[in-house]
Amino acid sequence: MFNNWLRENKVAMWLLTVVRVYLGYEWMTHGLEKLTGGFDAGGFISGAIAKTGGEHPAVQGWWGSFLEAFALPNVGLFNVLIPLGEFLVGVGLLLGTLTTLATLMAMVMNFSFLFSGTVSTNAIYLLVEIFLIVAGANAGRIGFDRWVLPFLRGLFGKNKDTFADPTRKIA
């Protein structure tokens, strides 16, 4: 019942738009700060690795092993991927373009930050992002997804006969 409301209701569509735009703004501005401010993930990754020790580690050993064996040696790659990913997720959410994909990538980044022992606003963002994922296309209906999703469905042959009508009435 609640799932249907999130996916099909006009009030939900407007509430999701407000949430989506807020999250988009947050992701985009944080990404832009990192893109223009000389971001270096090395300290963050080293700090997360250090949190794997002790009696009650904040970071699980398997995640610390990944960070130590892959992320730290390739910190240059992460110095590009993190700010660019945050910025692009923000733009996607702000414009309502490929909203589900942008939200999924936001969730991946939030989980990565949480796994690394940083709570901050990541848990709250993750909770809100779950609603956007469950809402599906309704979260981006007031945005470019209104036109992008039907175009992509037609382009890739999925539902060619049942092209989503962007002007269809919803509850």
Side-chain angles (χ1 to χ4, degrees), residues 107-123:
M107 291 176 77
V108 167
M109 286 189 285
N110 277 319
F111 274 121
S112 297
F113 300 146
L114 287 169
F115 288 161
S116 298
T118 302
V119 178
S120 184
T121 56
N122 295 305

Side-chain angles (χ1 to χ4, degrees), residues 97-155:
T97 306
L98 302 175
T99 303
T100 304
L101 177 63
T103 304
L104 181 62
M105 293 302 103
M107 291 176 77
V108 167
M109 286 189 285
N110 277 319
F111 274 121
S112 297
F113 300 146
L114 287 169
F115 288 161
S116 298
T118 302
V119 178
S120 184
T121 56
N122 295 305
I124 295 167
Y125 287 177
L126 193 56
L127 182 63
V128 172
E129 289 158 359
I130 289 170
F131 286 99
L132 292 177
I133 286 289
V134 170
N138 205 27
R141 197 171 308 279
I142 300 174
F144 286 107
D145 276 351
R146 181 181 183 98
W147 297 282
V148 170
L149 294 182
F151 172 77
L152 290 176
R153 284 187 192 111
L155 185 67

Side-chain angles (χ1 to χ4, degrees), residues 19-37 82-96 102 106 109 113 125 129:
V19 168
R20 188 195 83 225
V21 167
Y22 169 75
L23 278 177
Y25 175 79
E26 291 293 314
W27 279 109
M28 189 186 76
T29 56
H30 290 296
L32 190 58
E33 286 173 15
K34 289 178 176 101
L35 283 170
T36 59
I82 291 171
L84 190 59
E86 288 182 2
F87 181 76
L88 292 175
V89 160
V91 170
L93 290 173
L94 266 174
L95 298 177
M109 286 189 285
F113 300 146
Y125 287 177
E129 289 158 359

